[in-house]
Amino acid sequence: MAELAARASTWWAIFQINFYEKLVYRGDFMLGTLMRFLPIVTQIFLWSAIFSARGGGDSAGEEIVGYTYYNIVAYYLLSTISRAFSSMPGLASGIALQIREGEIKKYLIQPLDLISFFLLNRVAHKLTYYIVAAVPFAIVFFICRGYFEGWPPTHVLCAYAFSLILSFMLGFFMEATIGMIGFWFLEVRSLLFVYMLFTFFLSGHMFPLDMLNELGGPWSTIVKSLPLMYLAYFPAAVFLEKITGAELMWGLIVQVGWVVFFIIASRLAFHYGVKQYSAYGG
């Protein structure tokens, strides 16, 4: 029990240090939040033009694959929140850089778990970000409140909050796994570029993924079989009640499954990577 308390005290101290360190960059967080919403302006104009063309100059009342113009704008706002949870800028490249330059050995010679340390760092980062960004988020959503039909039921809000937490976990452990590949290849920027490219298109960042149902064939099934959809599309679709009932429960179970899968994958990559890692000099 005493050992467990000492370990918890150590992790709490690490979390506090990271939290106060991130607060130094609060101005950057606030500006970054506002910049996140700027691309949505382009999407609003683009989809307004699409719905207007379909409705002969009037976007109201038109539907495309079950989405009205207001649904689409609400979806993009919500997917921005999802991406704010699941995006991990610099995590994979930072781990690979530390492996390549030998800095990672400082974690290996101390009684400190590397993955847990990076996870606490990201938790502190996200917590600081949302404390600082709460005001810009509130302003943007207040201005755009007309695009929403109202608050969903309580159980949907709970499912939405749970899916956001899982999207954070999934984003972290996926990028941590990619970063650990640096033990074998040292340079992972090309791999990371491919991952970011696929994430941009297949996470639902560009459009709601259920629009693929209209394409026919296996495309919708393939895309929805990947873990990427849980980074942006799934939480937003849950809030908008596009996914309900048994489909919602199954989606949350699969999302948990992907999180567990990448926790194990990152642990295995770290375990076997350290076994073949060599560091020289001071």
Side-chain angles (χ1 to χ4, degrees):
M1 183 62 74
E3 183 183 351
L4 185 62
R7 184 172 297 182
S9 176
T10 302
W11 291 122
W12 175 243
I14 293 172
F15 171 78
Q16 284 183 305
I17 292 170
N18 280 299
F19 179 74
Y20 290 118
E21 181 189 16
K22 302 302 179 189
L23 275 179
V24 175
Y25 306 104
R26 55 189 178 276
D28 180 61
F29 284 148
M30 188 169 289
L31 183 61
T33 302
L34 289 174
M35 293 301 105
R36 275 180 183 274
F37 288 103
L38 285 184
I40 292 179
V41 176
T42 307
Q43 296 288 349
I44 290 174
F45 283 119
L46 173 64
W47 283 100
S48 175
I50 293 172
F51 277 90
S52 295
R54 186 182 178 92
D58 185 12
S59 60
E62 292 298 320
E63 280 195 13
I64 298 178
V65 200
Y67 284 87
T68 65
Y69 170 61
Y70 284 76
N71 287 155
I72 286 288
V73 176
Y75 172 82
Y76 279 110
L77 290 167
L78 291 168
S79 66
T80 301
I81 292 182
S82 305
R83 290 296 297 147
F85 269 81
S86 62
S87 65
M88 301 289 156
L91 176 61
S93 58
I95 292 174
L97 181 66
Q98 295 203 23
I99 294 171
R100 187 171 67 247
E101 297 189 350
E103 294 179 10
I104 202 166
K105 63 179 181 289
K106 67 185 178 186
Y107 299 105
L108 305 180
I109 59 176
Q110 296 178 13
L112 191 67
D113 179 62
L114 175 71
I115 297 177
S116 298
F117 178 82
F118 281 128
L119 179 60
L120 275 178
N121 184 288
R122 286 291 158 169
V123 170
H125 175 97
K126 294 296 181 184
L127 184 60
T128 311
Y129 172 80
Y130 278 103
I131 289 174
V132 175
V135 173
F137 266 108
I139 292 172
V140 170
F141 276 82
F142 179 77
I143 293 172
C144 299
R145 64 190 183 284
Y147 292 106
F148 292 86
E149 296 176 354
W151 289 98
T154 304
H155 71 280
V156 174
L157 278 178
C158 292
Y160 173 65
F162 186 51
S163 68
L164 283 178
I165 294 171
L166 289 175
S167 70
F168 164 76
M169 299 289 287
L170 183 60
F172 174 83
F173 284 105
M174 283 178 71
E175 289 221 15
T177 304
I178 294 173
M180 297 297 173
I181 294 174
F183 280 114
W184 288 271
F185 295 101
L186 293 182
E187 182 56 78
V188 299
R189 276 184 293 188
S190 297
L191 180 62
L192 193 57
F193 175 77
V194 173
Y195 166 74
M196 297 301 294
L197 186 66
F198 276 100
T199 299
F200 189 72
F201 286 104
L202 303 181
S203 69
H205 194 73
M206 286 288 292
F207 56 87
L209 294 179
D210 48 0
M211 286 186 166
L212 293 173
N213 296 338
E214 295 296 305
L215 285 179
W219 298 112
S220 176
T221 304
I222 292 172
V223 171
K224 290 182 179 179
S225 300
L226 300 174
L228 299 177
M229 66 171 277
Y230 296 97
L231 299 177
Y233 165 75
F234 185 74
V238 169
F239 187 96
L240 293 174
E241 298 184 77
K242 298 293 183 182
I243 300 174
T244 57
E247 188 183 5
L248 171 59
M249 290 303 298
W250 177 246
L252 289 173
I253 291 171
V254 173
Q255 192 176 12
V256 170
W258 277 119
V259 171
V260 173
F261 174 83
F262 280 102
I263 288 175
I264 296 172
S266 62
R267 286 289 174 187
L268 288 175
F270 179 59
H271 176 75
Y272 288 106
V274 168
K275 283 183 179 298
Q276 69 139 26
Y277 178 69
S278 297
Y280 303 93

